[in-house]
Amino acid sequence: MAEVTVKHDVKNATAPQREVLPSGVYHALIVKVTPGLTNFEPKLQTISIEYQITKTAKESIVNDEAADKYHGRSVYQDYILEPGTRAYSNQREAFRIQQLMAATGCPHRVIEGGGIAFNTDHLLTKGVKIYVNQRAGKPRAGDDPKAPIPMFNNVDRVDSEVTVDDKDLI
């Protein structure tokens, strides 16, 4: 193996702090869909979707079209694909996946019990509008007790990019 030279200051490196996106509405592309499992028991199948921001939506409270500093940023959202033990969580996940299918026009087939089957490749490069909120995380064991509580983004809603003006409705 060849020796390489790293010119970053690795000796004094610290983990970077990335600003969470402000709550708001953003146009985004789905750039990656990764299968996985939940971190809790029982382990449930998930997909994690990476949404890459293309611009801030006009109706968003953080709208800054002239200098859209969030262009290219990514937001990740997990979707649980199978029922767990909590009825509310099951209903929420089913609704979130229903929104995702409608917003992307992803082809799918209905299976026994009302579930669906689809190819995750059909989600890639789809343009959507995402409604992003912030949520507080939980401090982990070993974290500095004086450190701020970590903040994360959640994609609360996915919608198609097509909008219709009220004047165009019959």
Side-chain angles (χ1 to χ4, degrees):
M1 172 85 47
E3 180 177 300
V4 296
T5 302
V6 178
K7 295 184 179 182
H8 296 288
D9 182 2
V10 177
K11 179 181 172 191
N12 298 308
T14 58
Q17 296 300 313
R18 189 162 208 190
E19 167 191 11
V20 292
L21 286 171
S23 295
V25 183
Y26 300 89
H27 294 273
L29 287 177
I30 297 175
V31 295
K32 191 173 185 182
V33 181
T34 309
L37 294 172
T38 57
N39 294 327
F40 51 83
E41 294 294 334
K43 299 284 186 197
L44 302 173
Q45 291 182 7
T46 65
I47 55 172
S48 181
I49 295 183
E50 179 182 349
Y51 296 96
Q52 189 174 74
I53 306 298
T54 55
K55 69 177 184 175
T56 306
K58 288 183 180 179
E59 66 268 28
S60 180
I61 57 171
V62 296
N63 188 21
D64 184 3
E65 295 295 330
D68 197 348
K69 66 181 184 178
Y70 304 111
H71 176 79
R73 288 278 305 272
S74 290
V75 180
Y76 301 86
Q77 185 62 53
D78 292 338
Y79 295 84
I80 300 174
L81 303 179
E82 54 188 340
T85 57
R86 295 185 176 146
Y88 172 79
S89 296
N90 295 339
Q91 184 179 4
R92 182 191 69 219
E93 290 302 312
F95 183 70
R96 291 173 62 223
I97 292 168
Q98 183 185 59
Q99 279 185 332
L100 178 66
M101 295 294 109
T104 59
C106 181
H108 60 277
R109 61 183 163 79
V110 178
I111 59 174
E112 188 176 329
I116 61 170
F118 65 97
N119 184 332
T120 58
D121 288 347
H122 291 290
L123 294 174
L124 297 175
T125 72
K126 297 289 186 187
V128 293
K129 227 191 301 189
I130 56 174
Y131 296 73
V132 175
N133 281 329
Q134 294 181 351
R135 70 172 173 83
K138 297 176 184 172
R140 294 179 295 194
D143 283 353
D144 180 356
K146 295 179 184 175
I149 293 175
M151 296 296 290
F152 299 95
N153 286 122
N154 273 0
V155 176
D156 284 340
R157 181 174 155 195
V158 180
D159 206 350
S160 71
E161 287 193 304
V162 177
T163 56
V164 178
D165 289 335
D166 289 342
K167 65 181 173 50
D168 295 333
L169 296 174
I170 296 176

